[in-house]
Amino acid sequence: MTKPILRCLFLILPALLAGACQNSPSRPGPPPSENGGPRPWFDGDYDNHEQVVLAAPAVVPRTHIDITPLSRPGWYSWSVAMSADAGFSATWAMRSVKSVNGNIQLTPYRALVEAPKLGADFDPEQWVALDACALNGVATAAGLRVKADLATCMILIPGIGASAALLPLEIEHDGEWLRVRFYADQARGPDARIEARRLRWFTGWAAINGAGANAKLESNDWHMNRGMRIDNEGGRAPLNWRDGKPSGYTLSLERMTYRDGSVPVLKLSVIEDASGRSVVYAWANPEATRIGINLGWIQVGLEAESNAAAR
């Protein structure tokens, strides 16, 4: 196989479970729905990878939030996956209604069946409203800020079960940021919340030489990894040999901030699986649409998907 030529831009849960048991630009404002409430304008995937990294050695659970519009106007699904020592997840249906005074109310719904239908087959009859835990506040084209009344919501908590740990009590959306205080966050303090960022997805390819790091210039034993897809919030993608077996290396892509929060970067790394160390990395602007690496024996080229393609 001909040696690839890389043309790239080188710019550079324990407390949680215990509680349970008891660059993508801002999107435009939401179009009006049939019931007068807005369709979700902050739909997408969000992850708090950088918050987890910066909090170490303190423990902040890695949290992924997937917000997806449903077939009924003003409705969307809110799926939360939180991990610490063990994975923990919950899915809520959420209905948004705009009040006569211009404020907004987001009401969470709990599933009445084990496997409720979502997407085009969404059926509101399979869900029950948690009215006491409704979040009220304001919304603009740029974002929103809503909050539930904890004292009122507490009445429902015992009947919800363990998944109540992932019930949102406060939501703030601002551009690419989604900041949420879940019921479980109370165990971490009065101001604890999840600070997640909307994912951007990158696709592309990677090639690794069969001779590894000691490959000579004339070696053409290239093993191609095509159709790679990785997100920019701590996403990882294994590099394999042509027979599908692991090569011992993994790609990592992450948004990070250096120099006391003054220098945000997009960082692409090649991780050695055995040691967990980075053998090489490249930096780019967080808004970069292309990023790559050329180490001679390993080459990578990634390009950002459009928002439409990512969804």
Side-chain angles (χ1 to χ4, degrees), residues 95-108:
R95 186 184 185 188
S96 62
V97 176
K98 190 175 182 180
S99 64
V100 293
N101 61 3
N103 289 345
I104 190 171
Q105 182 178 79
L106 301 182
T107 303

Side-chain angles (χ1 to χ4, degrees), residues 234-278:
R236 293 202 167 201
L239 298 177
N240 298 323
W241 301 123
R242 65 172 64 94
D243 61 4
K245 294 181 179 180
S247 68
Y249 296 93
T250 297
L251 286 185
S252 170
L253 188 63
E254 56 188 343
R255 279 276 303 270
M256 296 300 295
T257 306
Y258 295 97
R259 294 184 185 173
D260 297 324
S262 64
V263 182
V265 301
L266 177 65
K267 181 181 179 183
L268 174 64
S269 306
V270 176
I271 308 297
E272 184 182 59
D273 296 341
S275 65
R277 69 182 182 90
S278 173

Side-chain angles (χ1 to χ4, degrees), residues 1 21 23 47 61 90 103 107 125 143 148 181 188 228-229 237 239-240 244 274:
M1 180 181 298
C21 296
N23 185 7
D47 194 284
N103 289 345
T107 303
E125 297 301 319
R181 180 170 170 83
R188 297 193 294 115
M228 303 194 75
R229 190 169 188 260
L239 298 177
N240 298 323

